[in-house]
Amino acid sequence: MKSDAVKKGIQTAPQRSLFNALGLTEEELSKPLVGIVSSYNEIVPGHMNIDKIVEAVKVGVAMAGGTPIVFPAIAVCDGIAMGHIGMKYSLVTRDLIADSTECMASAHQFDALVMVPNCDKNVPGLLMAAARLNVPTVFVSGGPMLAGHVQGKKTSLSSMFEAVGANAAGKMTEEEVDDYVCNACPTCGSCSGMYTANSMNCLTEAIGMGLQGNGTIPAVYSQRIKLAKHAGMKVMELLEKNICPRDIMTQKAFENALTIDMALGCSTNTMLHLPAIAHEAGVEINLDIANQISAKTPNLCHLAPAGHHYMEELNEAGGIYAVMNELNKKGLLHTDLITATGKTVGENIAGCENRNLEIIRPIDDPYSQTGGIAVLRGNIAPDSCVVKRSAVVPEMMEHEGPARVFDCEEDAIDAIKGGKIVAGDVVVIRYEGPKGGPGMREMLNPTSAIAGMGLGSSVALITDGRFSGASRGASIGHVSPEAAVGGPIALIEEGDIISINIPANTINVKVSDEELAKRKENWIPKEPKVKTGYLARYASMVTSADRGAILEIK
């Protein structure tokens, strides 16, 4: 066992004295040491129940003959961090989580790991760590929040942000907004739509690192406690069989994940996270592969914000395995791959029927014949940009309009709420990319303000930043190269006509190559917004969004 390095032989007597200080018995030390990575905290609603999940995992590990030992991982609540300097600290935690988990697991020589994440960067950060460490690992999340109910309608966090925009437009009173405040997010758990946290937890099932139901069983259901116990038991089976993350997270497994991503209509943030996780696993996933898969994968689900269905309904309809089973009817998945269940994908999904054809469309009657995410290219984004196609209204699939240019999110929000943005405009928010932000802030406030002002079907927004999974509309992010490194988005001027064609996967500014070259000659780089601390260090190492915003030593 790996842990023998700290508990076997006379040379480990000092280490054993410290285990003795922890109160561990000889019987416990004779068993495999299983690290349980707990993301519990009291500031993130998606994590406030994780203490109970962790206790259930400990029971499962102990039942199956292991010694469970808990250590922590951090997590930021994107909703609380939204719209201020805190959002600069969201994406950057993905690498902190991966690095700190690598440090803890390697320093203490755990034989196996159970990862207990839930929210946006916490899930991919721990998947990155799992790929790096490559010891037997199972994931079990804290689970999604139940949908809220306001005035007879189901609601979620995106409803809340759009209520603020509606108030700014004079369409909703402050008292009505307060009604949303008290009822839109009614339980613990990751926010109830197909936002980034739920997207990544569902894709953890799809890629084979989580057990059935990991992405969809609501946080408050007792079934999730049972799932956690099974995760604890299952990791001991993986340890016995020596099934490790890189055995599971193969090239074909990432292709499966991208296929299910397109069918579900996941958050565009998956286009940052899947390449970053693949990089850690020694697998190459680029956005061209994503578009190739999207072109042949039907979109089967329209969960909030794309539609009016929520995670609890997807769970009742059969969950991710039911979606996978639908896709498999046309041979769209690799089914011979080993997973954290100890079985193959095909064995996992056999008999998992679709129990609600409204929530999960049949493979022959999809919302669209192509996937929920599209990758666009053009002279604005020669290295690509990303849009959640399934959340774009039909009339905005093709759009031309004048650029309204802003060099930060705050200026754009002031203009939107001040009534300065009108139907037909294309809002451009730049210098918010991985380097320029730094940290690539999410633009949920401006997209929600646009929707709340009644402009969601007539105004597009493009940015070198990114979008929350709660964003909807013609919201095009991850523009690469970003403005901070002189990408073409930095050269757009107020009033330039921007042409967006999502079905054709193109995005262009109607300016000649010669004019763009002249503007590039006159472009002056901006001073870094942050010059000290972790953000400055991050900005010095981070790569472009089209590469997953991974960190590289220069």
Side-chain angles (χ1 to χ4, degrees):
M1 287 189 292
K2 189 181 177 94
S3 62
D4 286 351
V6 293
K7 66 185 188 183
K8 285 288 181 73
I10 189 65
Q11 73 277 5
T12 69
Q15 287 92 337
R16 282 184 282 123
S17 74
L18 295 171
F19 285 125
N20 181 70
L22 288 168
L24 291 176
T25 65
E26 290 182 12
E27 290 82 0
E28 287 173 303
L29 291 177
S30 70
K31 299 173 182 178
L33 300 185
V34 179
I36 302 174
V37 187
S38 170
S39 306
Y40 168 75
N41 63 52
E42 294 183 341
I43 188 62
V44 184
H47 290 237
M48 62 182 283
N49 66 318
I50 280 179
D51 56 340
K52 296 172 180 60
I53 304 298
V54 166
E55 287 303 313
V57 172
K58 288 173 68 176
V59 170
V61 169
M63 286 171 63
T67 297
I69 300 175
V70 178
F71 65 89
I74 65 169
V76 163
C77 178
D78 278 26
I80 295 174
M82 195 70 64
H84 56 89
I85 191 172
M87 183 42 68
K88 294 180 185 287
Y89 287 90
S90 172
L91 178 61
V92 304
T93 64
R94 186 185 70 181
D95 297 275
L96 278 176
I97 291 161
D99 292 349
S100 59
T101 303
E102 175 195 357
C103 292
M104 288 293 288
S106 296
H108 302 104
Q109 293 292 287
F110 288 106
D111 297 299
L113 297 166
V114 180
M115 306 291 198
V116 191
N118 210 22
C119 286
D120 296 29
K121 313 309 164 303
N122 185 240
V123 182
L126 290 179
L127 282 165
M128 289 165 67
R132 269 187 219 173
L133 291 161
N134 204 35
V135 298
T137 302
V138 174
F139 276 68
V140 56
S141 77
M145 184 184 291
L146 294 178
H149 292 83
V150 178
Q151 298 172 1
K153 295 180 180 178
K154 285 190 172 182
T155 58
S156 60
L157 183 66
S158 52
S159 314
M160 192 67 255
F161 278 89
E162 290 177 16
V164 174
N167 174 259
K171 298 179 178 181
M172 188 177 289
T173 66
E174 191 169 336
E175 289 74 19
E176 288 172 320
V177 173
D178 286 341
D179 191 14
Y180 275 82
V181 169
C182 295
N183 296 293
C185 298
T187 72
C188 63
S190 47
C191 297
S192 57
M194 189 54 80
Y195 310 143
T196 306
N198 291 328
S199 295
M200 289 308 304
N201 281 320
C202 290
L203 294 186
T204 300
E205 279 189 67
I207 208 168
M209 290 297 293
L211 306 185
Q212 183 179 7
N214 180 64
T216 59
I217 298 170
V220 295
Y221 283 15
S222 298
Q223 189 182 356
R224 184 152 291 275
I225 300 295
K226 294 169 68 176
L227 178 71
K229 291 175 182 175
H230 284 129
M233 290 185 269
K234 187 60 67 174
V235 81
M236 298 306 297
E237 179 185 331
L238 297 183
L239 179 59
E240 182 182 350
K241 295 179 178 178
N242 194 31
I243 298 173
C244 297
R246 291 191 192 180
D247 300 320
I248 296 169
M249 291 194 282
T250 62
Q251 178 80 36
K252 288 182 177 179
F254 281 98
E255 291 172 8
N256 277 355
L258 283 167
T259 300
I260 294 146
D261 190 339
M262 299 305 167
L264 289 171
C266 289
S267 163
T268 51
N269 281 313
T270 60
M271 295 296 101
L272 281 175
H273 300 323
L274 286 175
I277 298 160
H279 175 75
E280 297 291 353
V283 172
E284 181 64 32
I285 288 290
N286 59 46
L287 298 187
D288 290 322
I289 295 172
N291 249 8
Q292 290 163 16
I293 289 174
S294 182
K296 64 181 183 181
T297 305
N299 177 225
L300 305 182
C301 299
H302 268 193
L303 279 76
H308 301 290
H309 302 144
Y310 294 85
M311 296 304 297
E312 62 207 65
E313 294 166 276
L314 179 58
N315 187 62
E316 291 161 10
I320 303 311
Y321 281 13
V323 175
M324 294 172 74
N325 208 23
E326 281 291 339
L327 293 169
N328 198 42
K329 290 175 182 177
K330 290 201 172 176
L332 294 174
L333 296 178
H334 304 289
T335 57
D336 59 344
L337 311 179
I338 195 67
T339 70
T341 66
K343 300 177 181 178
T344 65
V345 170
E347 290 172 320
N348 286 342
I349 66 175
C352 294
E353 294 304 318
N354 180 357
R355 298 196 291 265
N356 189 325
L357 302 184
E358 289 296 314
I359 307 302
I360 305 171
R361 286 281 187 93
I363 192 77
D364 292 322
D365 184 28
Y367 283 102
S368 65
Q369 293 295 336
T370 52
I373 292 176
V375 177
L376 315 182
R377 280 188 168 83
N379 65 359
I380 292 174
D383 291 342
S384 76
C385 56
V386 177
V387 62
K388 188 169 183 173
R389 174 166 43 197
S390 60
V392 180
V393 294
E395 56 265 38
M396 290 298 288
M397 286 292 183
E398 297 181 40
H399 180 76
E400 278 195 7
R404 306 298 308 280
V405 182
F406 305 93
D407 287 350
C408 67
E409 177 190 6
E410 289 82 357
D411 290 349
I413 291 170
D414 288 345
I416 295 165
K417 291 186 176 178
K420 297 177 182 177
I421 303 300
V422 299
D425 284 347
V426 179
V427 176
V428 178
I429 305 178
R430 61 193 182 189
Y431 295 98
E432 291 285 6
K435 281 186 182 295
M440 204 179 183
R441 289 195 286 180
E442 287 186 343
M443 301 292 151
L444 179 56
N445 272 351
T447 59
S448 298
I450 286 169
M453 299 283 282
L455 297 170
S457 60
S458 59
V459 169
L461 192 156
I462 68 172
T463 180
D464 53 7
R466 59 195 178 91
F467 293 106
S468 164
S471 292
R472 62 186 176 96
S475 304
I476 300 165
H478 307 195
V479 170
S480 301
E482 63 176 290
V485 298
I489 191 173
L491 311 178
I492 298 172
E493 295 181 357
E494 185 81 7
D496 285 347
I497 299 301
I498 292 177
S499 174
I500 299 164
N501 189 324
I502 295 173
N505 300 106
T506 61
I507 182 167
N508 291 286
V509 58
K510 290 192 164 182
V511 173
S512 69
D513 293 344
E514 293 77 14
E515 173 62 19
L516 285 176
K518 187 186 301 182
R519 292 181 188 181
K520 183 63 184 282
E521 285 179 12
N522 296 324
W523 176 74
I524 300 172
K526 288 186 178 291
E527 280 286 309
K529 294 176 185 175
V530 180
K531 298 180 180 180
T532 59
Y534 179 61
L535 287 179
R537 197 156 69 247
Y538 179 89
S540 73
M541 298 175 68
V542 71
T543 62
S544 180
D546 66 293
R547 296 183 57 202
I550 60 173
L551 300 186
E552 284 187 339
I553 299 170
K554 299 295 187 288

